[in-house]
Amino acid sequence: GINAEYGDNFISIATVRPETLFSDVAIAINPKNEKLKNFIGKIAINPITSKELPIIEDELIEIDKGTGAMKVSAHAEMDFDIIKKNNLEIIECIDKNGKMNNKAMSLEGLDCFDARKKIIKILGKSIIKTEKTISAVGFSERSGSPIEILVQPQ
């Protein structure tokens, strides 16, 4: 998990994709989440970019999944819905070749998996725990490569 600080309070975020931290535009919490609803309307600081992230509410967030709070970035389908609903900016940090783009600052040009390892090192002690999990990221049947979700004109 990743801690986002608000005064003396912290909110932890679970992610299987730390390389997408550069794309984060908000943290979303289900308004029915009694444990976390007091964070809604506050601001969190992204530990990688130092960017302020609004903590917003959305009923799509599963209260019992992960920490109950979700980072919102442009690299997952559900996130697109939340971004659109809240008129948030779409920021992509991974290009169509699976490489980190200029939004990833010093990690530009690295492939996602190398960037993930570097980000985990950068975050260091702000990582509360790591665990094995099954990711919803799809993989190509032909090449076995992960399928990156990108915003593309239709």
Side-chain angles (χ1 to χ4, degrees):
I2 296 157
N3 282 330
E5 186 174 353
Y6 182 75
D8 292 333
N9 298 313
F10 290 87
I11 186 168
S12 296
I13 309 297
T15 182
V16 295
R17 307 271 327 264
E19 67 277 12
T20 64
L21 279 164
F22 296 102
S23 296
D24 289 355
V25 293
I27 293 173
I29 296 170
N30 189 309
K32 295 177 185 157
N33 186 327
E34 292 298 322
K35 188 176 78 178
L36 298 177
K37 71 180 183 181
N38 291 339
F39 283 101
I40 296 169
K42 308 282 193 242
I43 299 292
I45 305 299
N46 183 313
I48 289 291
T49 64
S50 298
K51 182 178 170 188
E52 290 187 349
L53 303 174
I55 302 176
I56 60 175
E57 63 180 63
D58 198 288
E59 303 249 340
L60 291 174
I61 308 308
E62 296 176 48
I63 294 171
D64 298 329
K65 187 172 182 182
T67 64
M70 185 184 92
K71 62 189 230 50
V72 179
S73 70
H75 295 285
E77 285 185 55
M78 186 168 82
D79 295 26
F80 290 139
D81 295 335
I82 295 170
I83 287 170
K84 278 190 230 171
K85 239 191 290 187
N86 290 279
N87 295 313
L88 297 167
E89 181 181 9
I90 291 175
I91 301 172
E92 291 183 297
C93 64
I94 301 170
D95 69 19
K96 63 183 178 181
N97 298 312
K99 303 274 187 204
M100 304 303 289
N101 68 22
N102 65 338
K103 300 291 186 198
M105 304 178 329
S106 66
L107 302 185
E108 181 178 3
L110 290 180
D111 85 19
C112 309
F113 297 106
D114 290 336
R116 181 180 300 171
K117 290 174 192 168
K118 288 207 182 244
I119 290 167
I120 290 169
K121 282 185 181 173
I122 292 166
L123 290 172
K125 292 182 180 165
S126 67
I127 296 176
I128 298 165
K129 70 176 183 173
T130 59
E131 60 188 53
K132 294 276 184 203
T133 186
I134 297 172
S135 171
V137 174
F139 288 85
S140 167
E141 288 180 17
R142 210 175 299 164
S143 70
S145 299
I147 298 170
E148 287 299 336
I149 296 174
L150 302 172
V151 179
Q152 297 289 312
Q154 295 296 315

